[in-house]
Amino acid sequence: MAISPPERRIWWNEPIEKVELIWVIIAFLWGLFMFGFMIAWHFIGQQNLNKEAYRIDPSSYEAKVEAFAKKYQVREEKSIPVVKPPPGVDVYLLGRLWQWWPILELEKGVSYRIHLSSIDWLHGFSLQPTNINIEVHPGYEHVITLTPTQSGEFGIVCNEFCGIGHHTMTGRIYVTEQKRAEAGPGLAGGR
Amino acid sequence: MTAETIIGAVGKTAEFRTCQYTGLKVDIAAQQLIKANAVAAVVFLALGGLMGLLVALTRWPAVHLLPADWFYLVLTGHGANVLLFWIIFFEIAVLYFASAVLLNARLVAPKFAWLGFALMVVGAVLANVAVLQGDSSVMFTSYPPMQAKSHFYLALILFAVGALIGCAVFFATLVVAKEEGTYQGSIPLVTFGALTAAIIAVFTIASGAIILIPTWLWSLGLISNIDTLLYRVVWWAMGHSSQQINVSAHVAIWYLVAALLVGAKPLNEKVSRTAFLMYILFLQLASAHHLLADPGLDASWKIVNTSYMMYLAVLGSMVHGLTVPGSIEAAQRRNGFNKGVFEWLRKAPWGHPAFAGMFFSLVMFGFIGGISGVVLGTEQLNVLMHNTLYVPGHFHGTVVAGTTLAFMAATYLVLPLIFQREIVWPGLAKFQPYLFGIGVAGISLFMMGAGTLGVARRHWDISFSDTDLSFAYSAGAYLMMGLNGLFAILAFLGGGRFVVIVVGTALFGQKITGGHKLAFPLHAGGGTAVAHYGSRGTWKLPGTAVLVALFFVSFALYYFINWKYLSELWLFR
């Protein structure tokens, strides 16, 4: 029994029963497949998190985001600037106790280099209802290239606990349909 | 060189009694320590379980029980009490049982073991004091720059030192038992599983020391800054590895319960032991599971680590997933339940809470905790679920449905064998694993469902009533949170029933003196079950083959469904 020493002292020479052997092989091959699929998704998939990141002082990051917001602000909502960067411009978003700042307005089908960082504690960028979730650190400026595939109003929730106001920490991204329909069916078309 | 010279002057005298069921010699000092650790475990389970209920009732939008500050406080306490204190106290009891009792040996240096126990009690109590004082609601993970009071970190360090002493006593007992020839050949498989757990525990506690000691110094103002990314890498080398201690320990308990109740014998010692060895070699890489959505880490680092080096540790669990039910099937067929594919399972001792608890633990750990864990730990898929309620959904499937249920099952054997008392209210005990099991399956699945719909973990108000920029989760998410609350009540009733039975039995259970009706294994002739491993005399295992095939199909389907979800997300690179 499993609670007594193996019945045969030389237990490592016992042959393996067929059903066990088959299962070990299946499980091993399945593991190899899943391992390979993560690698494959870097080539065939459209959702891979970029590792690009820079160390940055939180106050310098805050200054960068403020300059960005000032330059491309189009209106204001609840005293938060709504910023509409033209395509090709680097976009900055910051997390702090307890808000995501500023509000962004993006265009569907356009790729943006989005910079993410926190100026105080750890925060969790959680784009809803799309459900993209990324950890946001203070002192690290993370750059991802994001392409919205839906239009509408999206919420950013904080899903890394950040103190007593954690549940009040939200933000917003608007995604508009591309105005330049002549940009071609390849970009604006689809679903 | 003898063990005595390695360990130092250790008294050789020990007092033994003989177990009337198993014939094993039981060291009285080991017995006292097992009792003390088991009782402490149950006390913290009761406290942590109550906190868990309060958390679930607050997250039920229609109830929303606690105010925000209390919610975060209680959630911090819930994590510490059940994930650390209940489980690790119980694991120390398992280590002493698997070494001294199963090897017919004396426990080495029991006074040292008591010192470890005292440190663990002091640490656990101090941590609760720190949390209840209200200035340390930093969650189980205590990520800087958020800071708790310094005695919160100190409490965890004291607790860990105590647990390390327990591991040292376990290792020393193994060495001395070998030296004194208390058993022939290799250590039993259950002891081998416990050894796996203890080895991983040493790695875990070392990682904990590397990160918690500087964090403690930082809270005292002696260190100015802790890097947040470094903290997460090292903290999770402790945080995730500690869950691998649990896996090793509860798999050992599966084998233990199967052996005692139906006389199951490992199908093949080599296969089962190699599966445990895979845990030792690869499970520690899982720190990466928590860093898949973090900046600056290379994809190749993530892929190798998150998959435990090509899923070799997952392979270990999948192997146990066949060998445990397989050994039960083989034993049951030898016990005479040989009709059809599933008579062995239908006529298993389902009325014994140890068997029911163990089997539910096995099934739910595989189907709920295991599959969701692999999906959650897949590099790209993680972005779908990182820090959503899917994460607690997953680990309630592993740590509560898997580990806690297995430990509860083992307790129903520890009470008659070690406490030597009859279980009070056997009728209550009979249905306890069912009640708790259904409750836990519900919480795991509904939290996973809510997480799939985006609901954040550790979050007081999913209606965002106090925010400038409000956002509404879908109606489905609210439904999931309500169902989660309902099943949390079931789980609490099941867990509460367990606590009442254990406390009642320890205090008022009838003393077992001799001639008791319990017999192990429960079925006559179970002890000789199964011929030799792998020989022609081994029974065919069609039932187990069907079970693992079902598991594999569920696994593969769920895995690809999540890739489908991922492919519909916005594009990012």
Side-chain angles (χ1 to χ4, degrees):
Chain A
M1 288 198 288
I3 53 169
S4 40
E7 201 169 295
R8 293 186 178 176
R9 284 195 75 130
I10 312 296
W11 48 265
W12 52 87
N13 282 343
E14 295 283 352
I16 300 171
E17 182 55 24
K18 208 161 99 190
V19 62
E20 268 189 296
L21 195 61
I22 293 172
W23 179 242
V24 170
I25 292 168
I26 291 175
F28 177 70
L29 292 177
W30 173 238
L32 274 189
F33 172 81
M34 292 192 297
F35 181 74
F37 205 78
M38 286 193 284
I39 299 168
W41 195 259
H42 282 274
F43 299 99
I44 62 171
Q46 301 291 326
Q47 291 85 6
N48 288 289
L49 194 61
N50 190 6
K51 72 163 183 176
E52 187 179 344
Y54 306 92
R55 282 188 184 277
I56 188 160
D57 181 55
S59 55
S60 328
Y61 187 75
E62 189 175 19
K64 268 161 89 173
V65 183
E66 274 167 5
F68 158 78
K70 204 169 165 189
K71 193 165 175 190
Y72 300 112
Q73 177 170 352
V74 287
R75 60 180 189 279
E76 203 174 76
E77 264 179 45
K78 299 190 176 161
S79 68
I80 304 165
V82 179
V83 181
K84 181 167 183 155
V89 164
D90 278 27
V91 179
Y92 293 83
L93 184 70
L94 71 77
R96 65 178 158 215
L97 306 170
W98 286 285
Q99 98 189 136
W100 293 105
W101 194 91
I103 298 172
L104 300 175
E105 190 167 303
L106 308 177
E107 276 183 20
K108 182 178 156 183
V110 174
S111 299
Y112 297 89
R113 266 171 68 81
I114 299 200
H115 298 239
L116 280 172
S117 190
S118 159
I119 58 166
D120 36 52
W121 291 359
L122 275 175
H123 295 291
F125 171 91
S126 177
L127 184 71
Q128 296 299 335
T130 315
N131 217 0
I132 294 174
N133 305 283
I134 298 168
E135 191 80 21
V136 179
H137 288 254
Y140 290 89
E141 182 177 349
H142 190 187
V143 189
I144 58 169
T145 303
L146 189 69
T147 314
T149 56
Q150 300 155 301
S151 57
E153 183 185 315
F154 297 88
I156 311 173
V157 173
C158 177
N159 69 6
E160 183 60 83
F161 174 67
C162 56
I164 187 65
H166 166 53
H167 50 273
T168 64
M169 179 167 172
T170 52
R172 188 168 289 168
I173 294 181
Y174 293 103
V175 181
T176 56
E177 290 289 337
Q178 246 176 4
K179 292 203 183 71
R180 293 153 295 134
E182 65 276 15
L187 279 172
R191 23 184 190 169
Chain B
M1 195 161 57
T2 67
E4 294 302 316
T5 55
I6 299 166
I7 296 159
V10 179
K12 270 191 170 173
T13 49
E15 205 185 323
F16 290 96
R17 69 175 175 88
T18 304
C19 175
Q20 57 176 315
Y21 307 115
T22 58
L24 287 167
K25 267 167 64 187
V26 181
D27 178 0
I28 301 296
Q31 178 172 306
Q32 297 299 345
L33 277 156
I34 292 169
K35 281 187 188 175
N37 279 283
V39 167
V42 172
V43 168
F44 289 104
L45 174 68
L47 182 59
L50 176 65
M51 288 173 157
L53 178 71
L54 297 176
V55 168
L57 291 180
T58 306
R59 295 222 61 173
W60 185 348
V63 179
H64 214 216
L65 185 70
L66 298 176
D69 52 346
W70 275 96
F71 171 75
Y72 293 126
L73 183 156
V74 165
L75 184 51
T76 305
H78 171 62
N81 280 311
V82 280
L83 201 53
L84 276 181
F85 307 146
W86 141 250
I87 285 182
I88 294 181
F89 271 117
F90 200 92
E91 276 161 356
I92 298 295
V94 170
L95 290 186
Y96 295 158
F97 179 84
S99 55
V101 177
L102 289 185
L103 297 180
N104 272 310
R106 64 190 174 87
L107 192 79
V108 172
K111 282 190 182 139
F112 198 45
W114 281 110
L115 171 68
F117 177 73
L119 281 173
M120 287 169 71
V121 170
V122 170
V125 171
L126 185 61
N128 273 290
V129 168
V131 169
L132 290 171
Q133 282 172 336
D135 292 327
S136 299
S137 299
V138 293
M139 301 293 138
F140 181 58
T141 44
S142 57
Y143 294 134
M146 189 187 301
Q147 200 175 60
K149 288 279 176 260
S150 62
H151 55 296
F152 175 80
Y153 306 107
L154 180 65
L156 298 183
I157 294 168
L158 289 177
F159 184 82
V161 171
L164 193 59
I165 289 176
C167 294
V169 169
F170 168 77
F171 291 128
T173 300
L174 290 189
V175 172
V176 169
K178 184 88 187 164
E179 199 79 22
E180 294 178 354
T182 62
Y183 63 96
Q184 298 296 312
S186 305
I187 54 175
L189 181 60
V190 172
T191 310
F192 191 83
L195 175 61
T196 303
I199 290 171
I200 297 176
V202 171
F203 171 85
T204 302
I205 294 170
S207 307
I210 291 170
I211 199 63
L212 281 178
I213 292 172
T215 307
W216 176 50
L217 296 175
W218 168 70
S219 72
L220 290 170
L222 299 173
I223 288 179
S224 62
N225 180 43
I226 301 241
D227 183 87
T228 55
L229 191 55
L230 179 77
Y231 180 94
R232 277 168 57 77
V233 172
V234 184
W235 195 92
W236 281 112
M238 168 184 74
H240 207 105
S241 304
S242 67
Q243 307 318 309
Q244 323 299 7
I245 309 172
N246 306 342
V247 174
S248 312
H250 78 225
V251 172
I253 282 178
W254 293 345
Y255 284 111
L256 171 78
V257 172
L260 282 173
L261 288 193
V262 298
K265 188 160 67 176
L267 297 171
N268 186 305
E269 294 277 356
K270 178 169 51 185
V271 171
S272 293
R273 283 169 200 245
T274 307
F276 274 121
L277 187 65
M278 293 296 184
Y279 287 170
I280 300 177
L281 294 178
F282 302 112
L283 273 181
Q284 293 89 327
L285 306 180
S287 167
H289 285 184
H290 303 266
L291 298 152
L292 297 174
D294 283 48
L297 300 166
D298 195 65
S300 55
W301 181 86
K302 288 180 183 173
I303 291 173
V304 168
N305 283 278
T306 198
S307 69
Y308 306 113
M309 191 64 218
M310 301 192 286
Y311 292 101
L312 289 175
V314 172
L315 175 66
S317 287
M318 287 175 77
V319 167
H320 291 305
L322 175 126
T323 58
V324 173
S327 66
I328 293 172
E329 178 171 3
Q332 283 284 85
R333 286 185 185 277
R334 180 56 61 104
N335 290 338
F337 302 109
N338 201 19
K339 256 185 265 160
V341 180
F342 281 120
E343 193 194 23
W344 64 276
L345 190 58
R346 273 203 317 280
K347 298 211 171 146
W350 290 105
H352 196 297
F355 183 85
M358 172 261 152
F359 209 85
F360 292 153
S361 163
L362 168 69
V363 170
M364 293 202 276
F365 178 76
F367 277 86
I368 302 178
I371 293 177
S372 67
V374 170
V375 168
L376 187 55
T378 298
E379 189 211 347
Q380 295 91 344
L381 297 179
N382 183 264
V383 170
L384 277 170
M385 305 139 188
H386 175 73
N387 270 350
T388 67
L389 260 184
Y390 192 95
V391 178
H394 152 69
F395 71 68
H396 281 73
T398 55
V399 175
V400 191
T403 307
T404 298
L405 203 46
F407 287 1
M408 285 176 171
T411 305
Y412 290 112
L413 298 174
V414 167
L415 289 174
L417 292 175
I418 300 295
F419 284 76
Q420 294 174 277
R421 285 181 189 268
E422 293 262 25
I423 289 172
V424 289
W425 310 302
L428 271 186
K430 192 171 173 177
F431 294 105
Q432 188 273 331
Y434 294 83
L435 191 56
F436 188 73
I438 292 168
V440 173
I443 15 188
S444 302
L445 292 171
F446 294 123
M447 278 201 278
M448 281 161 58
T452 304
L453 296 171
V455 178
R457 68 184 293 198
R458 296 171 167 175
H459 197 280
W460 179 68
D461 179 20
I462 65 166
S463 68
F464 301 102
S465 52
D466 293 342
T467 54
D468 291 337
L469 301 173
S470 70
F471 164 76
Y473 283 114
S474 64
Y478 281 81
L479 177 67
M480 293 286 173
M481 298 313 291
L483 288 169
N484 175 54
L486 276 176
F487 279 80
I489 292 173
L490 282 186
F492 180 75
L493 292 175
R497 196 181 267 217
F498 172 78
V499 171
V500 167
I501 291 165
V502 173
V503 172
T505 303
L507 295 178
F508 312 114
Q510 194 193 329
K511 275 264 180 200
I512 295 172
T513 45
H516 184 252
K517 60 178 183 273
L518 255 178
F520 292 109
L522 288 180
H523 295 292
T528 58
V530 199
H532 295 293
Y533 334 101
S535 71
R536 272 188 294 277
T538 305
W539 295 82
K540 295 282 171 267
L541 308 169
T544 301
V546 171
L547 290 181
V548 296
L550 187 67
F551 172 78
F552 185 75
V553 170
S554 314
F555 193 165
L557 278 178
Y558 188 68
Y559 180 75
F560 287 117
I561 285 170
N562 278 284
W563 282 106
K564 170 96 172 56
Y565 286 154
L566 182 75
S567 71
E568 290 164 354
L569 283 192
W570 293 11
L571 320 182
F572 53 90
R573 58 190 151 80

